[in-house]
Amino acid sequence: MDGLDTLARALGQRTPEQLADLLTRHREPLSHRPAPTHLRGLATALWSYETVHHLVLQLDRPRLQLLAAIARAGQRLAEENAPPRPPAPPSGAGFEALMSHSLSFPQLAAEPVPAEAAYAELGADGPGPDREAATAALSALYEDGLAAPAEDGRTVVPPRVPQLLGGLDLKDFTRDAPRPAPDALTRTDPALVGMETRAAATALSSALGRLLAALAEHPAALRKSGGLAVREIKRLAKAAGTGEDRARLLLDTAEAAGLIALSRNRDGTTALPTAAYDDWLTRPAGERLAPVLTAWAELRAIPTLGAPGEPPATLVRGHDDRYAAPLRRALLEALAALPEGTGAAVPAPPLPEEPPRALDGLLHVADWYRPLAVTGRPMAAERSAHTLGEAAFLGVVAHGTLTPLGRALLAGPDALRAELDRLLPPPLEKAHFQADLTAVAPGAPSAALADLLGACADRESEGHAVTWRFSAASVRRALDAGHPPDALLADLTAASASGALPQPLTYLIGDTARTHGLVRVVRTACCLRSDDEALVRELAAHRELRALGLRAIAATVLVAAEPPETVLRTLRAAGYAPVLEAETGTTVVERAAAHRSKAPAPLPAARRAAEPLALAERLLRG
């Protein structure tokens, strides 16, 4: 029985719930492959190079050390049991002979390993805490599908593991996470951390809402080379009331959460909200932030960090930093492990040449949680500082310590939603209208209230209270958008906390409504002009031309509801001989238009993950 069969047999012994849990935890790497139709197909997907590479990045030091030890022991057994190597092919041998010789080497194979042999590799072959930690690590590897027990009790691991971990020096077996030196930590006030978390979550909800609203009003154009142009970043940052780096963070995170998509048309590629944004607007603030924070935790990029000497790239297709998410998780888990009431206060980037002692201590701890993603990577200190800066803006970290919101993010979706509901009270449905033509919502307004006041007033301030100011121009904007004056007054009265509107506001709406619409602008796609008045009347009454929506506005002028091309084509089909006239009155010489495909450019296929429990049940049924 080969390794894949061993893994498939072990997977088949799980309950549907256990298998569904594995599918859920590994949804990211498995989503890049077709959904499996049988257990061996799932085993093949789990032990593919890409999946194994993704999974080993998530391993803490004990599990990684044990996995490497099993791989080394398996290779030694393969070498001992391998047949003699064939002689090297002669000079000038063909490709097939060379490949046959290279594939015969035993380092490309591995044998099942007794657990005791792996424990001996780690120096944990005797009873004690190390042995208990190694046993727990082996159970975790089984649970993650990175190892499988054979029928005789031995253990097999993916054949790609020696390639991934062959040059790794993990030193001695370390069962417990280290602690930073006391002088690298600072004291923190839990009450102050709690207040800062609430303020950060409130500000985040407001900034994200304003940024998406600005993007919905004016989609942002991407450069031909990819990514948003700097002018678009500046525009959206101003709309959100935040800095450019934070606007980049919000954009990349919102795209990962499915709230923004890139769409290509003949003029280029633009970024605009998706259909999910409309549903998102109707949800309370806590439910809005939950998918965004979850997306940030899994984001395969550090949005505020660019290449050396360059600004960060935003909304770039194909950008994939597979080490970003495990680094983020390692830093949060390291902060969660700090003694209560302490923090590792890391300054905002750019860092000085000598990394701060607090950051060094934190990285030492984080390295235990994700060794392959932390200190073994280039620019570990700079990457960590930017990650922690993003976490502080999102309310996950404050004063160098993990906030209650950060702990909820680590705990899972249910805990995150519960904490956000606690931090962000239900949105306000009513505002306080004042005689100075302002309306104040002493908290986060609901989507309906924000839409109503945004339609007829200008937002002046943000924060714990949101203020709108009414003016003749803002009321006219609402009337232009089709709000009848009486209905507008009724809607504002219903949204008033006192049940009435101040007299200056009712006068303003009434005065603006009296002068609104005195000048009428006729919407038309084009005009038809002729000096022959009888011909004009004939065209207006012609049955075959009714679809053009012709309407006389003067004895010699008709307006049409269709564009010039359609009008010319229809008139000619009806037996008339019109010509196209330019704005200057000269006749336009028509030329055949160049044909262009109107089909949109193909976008990356959406990830269609089957419901885990249903898929698990189908796989177990065979």
Side-chain angles (χ1 to χ4, degrees):
M1 181 179 291
D2 68 8
L4 289 176
D5 286 334
T6 301
L7 177 60
R9 182 188 61 82
L11 293 174
Q13 295 174 350
R14 302 189 183 209
T15 66
E17 291 75 18
Q18 290 170 335
L19 190 58
D21 180 63
L22 179 136
L23 293 169
T24 301
R25 285 185 285 112
H26 298 342
R27 66 185 181 278
E28 165 61 26
L30 292 178
S31 66
H32 298 283
R33 303 176 64 90
T37 57
H38 47 78
L39 287 173
R40 185 176 171 91
L42 176 58
T44 302
L46 284 171
W47 279 11
S48 67
Y49 181 83
E50 281 298 317
T51 304
V52 172
H53 193 182
H54 175 89
L55 297 182
V56 296
L57 293 178
Q58 320 302 321
L59 297 182
D60 58 26
R61 187 167 288 271
R63 287 183 291 165
L64 194 62
Q65 287 177 310
L66 180 61
L67 184 63
I70 296 172
R72 287 194 301 268
Q75 279 191 305
R76 279 200 302 272
L77 288 173
E79 290 179 1
E80 294 170 1
N81 300 330
R85 298 182 184 180
S91 177
F95 175 76
E96 291 184 1
L98 292 172
M99 287 300 298
S100 176
H101 177 260
S102 65
L103 291 176
S104 67
F105 284 91
Q107 64 263 31
L108 297 177
E111 294 283 345
V113 176
E116 291 296 334
Y119 297 156
E121 285 273 340
L122 302 176
D125 45 349
D130 283 353
R131 176 61 172 268
E132 294 173 2
T135 303
L138 182 59
S139 297
L141 291 176
Y142 286 158
E143 186 177 347
D144 282 341
L146 276 171
E151 291 181 334
D152 58 6
R154 294 182 297 171
T155 299
V156 293
V157 297
R160 296 289 194 174
V161 169
Q163 291 176 291
L164 287 170
L165 306 182
L168 192 65
D169 181 16
L170 292 173
K171 302 183 177 61
D172 296 332
F173 183 64
T174 309
R175 65 176 185 273
D176 296 319
R179 291 182 176 272
D183 60 351
L185 302 178
T186 56
R187 301 300 302 176
T188 60
D189 181 356
L192 186 60
V193 168
M195 288 190 293
E196 190 156 328
T197 305
R198 187 184 301 274
T202 302
L204 172 63
S205 178
S206 177
L208 182 60
R210 295 197 304 274
L211 182 141
L212 291 174
L215 200 61
E217 185 175 354
H218 296 293
L222 273 70
R223 300 173 298 186
K224 290 184 178 180
S225 58
L228 280 188
V230 174
R231 67 177 181 276
E232 294 285 17
I233 296 290
K234 291 180 180 294
R235 173 178 73 86
L236 294 171
K238 182 178 180 181
T242 189
E244 291 178 27
D245 276 353
R246 291 177 173 180
R248 297 178 196 273
L249 170 62
L250 293 176
L251 286 164
D252 279 347
T253 307
E255 185 197 23
L259 299 175
I260 294 175
L262 305 185
S263 176
R264 181 174 293 177
N265 52 45
R266 64 181 181 181
D267 298 323
T269 304
T270 57
L272 65 166
T274 65
Y277 169 64
D278 297 319
D279 176 65
W280 183 84
L281 283 175
T282 64
R283 299 182 177 276
E287 291 186 25
R288 290 187 187 185
L289 289 191
V292 174
L293 291 174
T294 301
W296 174 77
E298 300 174 355
L299 194 63
R300 295 175 69 146
I302 302 177
T304 59
L305 177 63
E310 298 181 9
T314 308
L315 298 181
V316 176
R317 284 177 176 168
H319 181 65
D320 185 11
D321 180 356
R322 68 177 68 203
Y323 298 95
L327 170 64
R328 191 176 294 119
R329 183 83 181 191
L331 291 169
L332 297 185
E333 290 184 348
L335 289 172
L338 295 182
E340 187 176 356
T342 64
V346 176
L351 295 175
E353 292 185 7
E354 185 69 25
R357 185 167 174 76
L359 182 56
D360 276 344
L362 186 62
L363 287 177
H364 181 57
V365 180
D367 182 74
W368 184 91
Y369 287 97
R370 300 291 187 277
L372 296 183
V374 185
T375 55
R377 303 298 307 161
M379 299 177 59
E382 193 73 17
R383 288 165 60 84
S384 299
H386 278 272
T387 300
L388 292 170
E390 294 174 7
F393 172 62
L394 298 174
V396 174
V397 171
H399 300 287
T401 189
L402 200 64
T403 65
L405 183 59
R407 295 181 187 277
L409 181 61
L410 288 178
D414 293 339
L416 179 61
R417 284 192 291 269
E419 180 61 22
L420 285 169
D421 288 343
R422 186 188 69 82
L423 284 173
L424 300 172
L428 298 176
E429 301 291 343
K430 295 183 181 295
H432 298 275
F433 291 83
Q434 303 178 123
D436 62 351
L437 297 179
T438 61
V440 179
S446 67
L449 180 61
D451 287 345
L452 173 63
L453 294 177
C456 57
D458 298 314
R459 190 181 294 224
E460 276 195 341
S461 68
E462 300 287 345
H464 297 294
V466 186
T467 303
W468 290 265
R469 180 171 294 279
F470 293 89
S471 65
S474 68
V475 172
R476 190 179 307 118
R477 183 176 70 229
L479 299 178
D480 291 342
H483 293 273
D486 292 343
L488 182 61
L489 282 169
D491 291 342
L492 292 174
T493 302
S496 172
S498 64
L501 296 178
Q503 195 176 60
L505 179 57
T506 59
Y507 283 175
L508 174 66
I509 295 175
D511 291 343
T512 305
R514 274 192 293 275
T515 60
H516 187 261
L518 295 181
V519 176
R520 317 293 288 187
V521 177
V522 179
R523 176 178 296 185
T524 178
C526 68
C527 290
L528 290 78
R529 183 183 66 81
S530 175
D531 294 333
D532 187 339
E533 296 184 8
L535 177 59
V536 170
R537 291 194 295 272
E538 177 185 331
L539 293 175
H542 202 298
R543 278 184 158 186
E544 295 183 18
L545 303 180
R546 285 182 180 177
L548 298 179
L550 298 178
R551 173 184 168 198
I553 59 173
T556 59
V557 180
L558 295 172
V559 295
E562 297 294 331
E565 296 81 5
T566 303
V567 172
L568 287 168
R569 186 170 60 250
T570 306
L571 288 174
R572 287 165 181 164
Y576 296 94
V579 294
L580 184 63
E581 186 175 275
E583 292 82 353
T584 58
T586 58
T587 300
V588 175
V589 178
E590 298 179 58
R591 292 181 175 86
H595 295 284
R596 294 290 185 270
S597 172
K598 295 183 179 180
L603 298 176
R607 295 175 182 173
R608 299 180 182 90
E611 199 279 321
L613 185 57
L615 176 57
E617 291 172 344
R618 288 199 302 271
L619 292 173
L620 291 173
R621 285 196 302 265

